[in-house]
Amino acid sequence: MAPSFGRSISFPLSPARASRPRAAAYHVRSVSLPCSCHPLLAHLCSHIAAVRSWVAAPASPSTGLAHLDALHAELLLLPEARSALQYGSATSTCLLDGFLLLADAHGAFEETVVELRAHASDAQAALRRRDDARLASAVRSLRRAEKDLARLAASVRAAAKFPTLSASSNAAEVEVSGALAEAVAAAACASAAVFSAVESVSSVATTAMASKKTMTSSLKSLVKSGKPASDEEKEVATLERLEEVEACVAEIESGSDKVFRSILHTRVALLNIQTDTCC
C-alpha cells in the first residue's frame, strides 16, 4: 500500500514540485473570467460610474454626450460578451430593444435640436425688427420643440427599466450580461438628462419672451412711463438667452451625431452576434 500511497495525486510527496504547474494552470484559467478585477470589465464599470455621476448633477449637455460616446465605445469589447449574447438569449433581446429605443430617441433628438436652433434664430430676428407676429410664431415653435424634447426624455427613460436577466450556468456570462444591462440603463438615464437640459436652456429663453408683452405694446407702455432703458435691458437679456440656445445646439450637434452613430453601430454588432455572423 505504501508505494500506491506515494503515487497519489491528492497527497504528493513533494508539494514544491507540483505547486508551480498547478499555480500556472490556475493563472491561465483566471484570465478569461470577467471578475471584478478583469481590466475590460473594470473599465466599462468606470464609464458607467462616470455616466451615473454626471446624471446625478447634469451640467453641460455636451459633457453628457461625451460620456455617452465613451460608454458605447466600451460595449461588446469583453471576450465573454459574444457567448453571453448569442443564440437569441434573453439578454441579447433586451439589449436590442433597449438600443432600438435609444436610437429612435437620439435620431428624433437630432431633428428637434436643428429645428430649435432655427426657431431661436427667427425669434432673434423678430425681436430686433420688433415684429410681433413673427416673434409670436417663433415662440410657439420653440415651445412645441420643448414639448417634443420633454416627450423624448420621458420615452427614453423606459430603456432604463431593464427586466431581470435570467441566470446562466456560466458565472462569467452572468456578470457580463449584468454589466451590459447596467450600461444600457445608464445610457438611457443620461440621454433623458441631456434632452431635459437642452429643453431647460430653451425654456429660459421662451419664458423671458413670454414675460414681456408684445414688442409694440411694450414699447408704447414704456414710452408713456418714461422707462426706455428698462425695455432695452429686457430686450438685450432676451437676445442673450436666445443666443445661448443657439450656442447650446451648436455645441452638441457633433456630439449628438457621434452618439447616434455609435448606438446604431452597437445594435448592428449585437445583431451580428445574435445571428453568429460576426467575425
Side-chain angles (χ1 to χ4, degrees):
M1 295 297 291
S4 173
F5 179 80
R7 290 194 298 271
S8 172
I9 295 176
S10 301
F11 302 92
L13 292 176
S14 179
R17 199 166 50 211
S19 61
R20 182 172 298 176
R22 286 174 64 85
Y26 284 129
H27 176 72
V28 171
R29 284 196 296 270
S30 68
V31 170
S32 63
L33 293 176
C35 60
S36 57
C37 62
H38 193 296
L40 290 175
L41 183 58
H43 202 205
L44 174 61
C45 290
S46 69
H47 280 296
I48 294 173
V51 170
R52 291 290 190 187
S53 177
W54 180 85
V55 171
S60 168
S62 62
T63 304
L65 290 170
H67 282 305
L68 280 171
D69 185 53
L71 176 62
H72 288 298
E74 295 296 321
L75 294 175
L76 308 182
L77 292 182
L78 286 167
E80 289 77 11
R82 182 186 177 91
S83 58
L85 300 174
Q86 63 187 171
Y87 305 129
S89 67
T91 303
S92 180
T93 301
C94 291
L95 288 173
L96 283 170
D97 291 343
F99 279 112
L100 178 60
L101 195 156
L102 285 171
D104 288 343
H106 277 272
F109 175 67
E110 282 193 303
E111 296 176 0
T112 302
V113 294
V114 169
E115 295 173 359
L116 197 69
R117 187 177 189 176
H119 299 325
S121 180
D122 285 344
Q124 288 183 74
L127 274 172
R128 291 190 177 100
R129 297 174 184 177
R130 289 172 169 73
D131 188 334
D132 285 349
R134 185 177 179 183
L135 178 61
S137 177
V139 170
R140 286 193 297 270
S141 297
L142 282 168
R143 284 175 172 166
R144 279 196 298 270
E146 290 164 12
K147 289 179 180 178
D148 289 340
L149 289 172
R151 281 193 291 268
L152 285 174
S155 66
V156 81
R157 287 189 182 97
K161 300 174 182 177
F162 221 85
T164 303
L165 300 173
S166 58
S168 169
S169 58
N170 189 319
E173 293 178 9
V174 172
E175 192 169 13
V176 172
S177 298
L180 293 175
E182 176 62 20
V184 173
C189 290
S191 298
V194 168
F195 301 164
S196 296
V198 176
E199 178 204 354
S200 178
V201 172
S202 178
S203 180
V204 170
T206 52
T207 300
M209 287 185 286
S211 65
K212 298 175 63 177
K213 300 177 181 179
T214 61
M215 291 301 300
T216 303
S217 58
S218 178
L219 283 171
K220 288 180 178 178
S221 64
L222 286 167
V223 167
K224 290 180 180 178
S225 63
K227 297 179 180 179
S230 176
D231 177 68
E232 290 179 4
E233 290 171 0
K234 290 180 179 179
E235 183 176 333
V236 169
T238 303
L239 286 171
E240 288 177 351
R241 301 291 85 76
L242 289 169
E243 288 171 359
E244 288 175 3
V245 174
E246 286 190 307
C248 175
V249 173
E251 187 178 8
I252 67 175
E253 273 182 331
S254 115
S256 176
D257 185 64
K258 284 180 66 178
V259 170
F260 177 60
R261 291 178 182 278
S262 65
I263 291 172
L264 291 179
H265 175 77
T266 303
R267 193 168 191 277
V268 169
L270 281 169
L271 285 169
N272 288 337
I273 290 174
Q274 193 177 51
T275 57
D276 204 28
T277 59
C278 183
C279 296

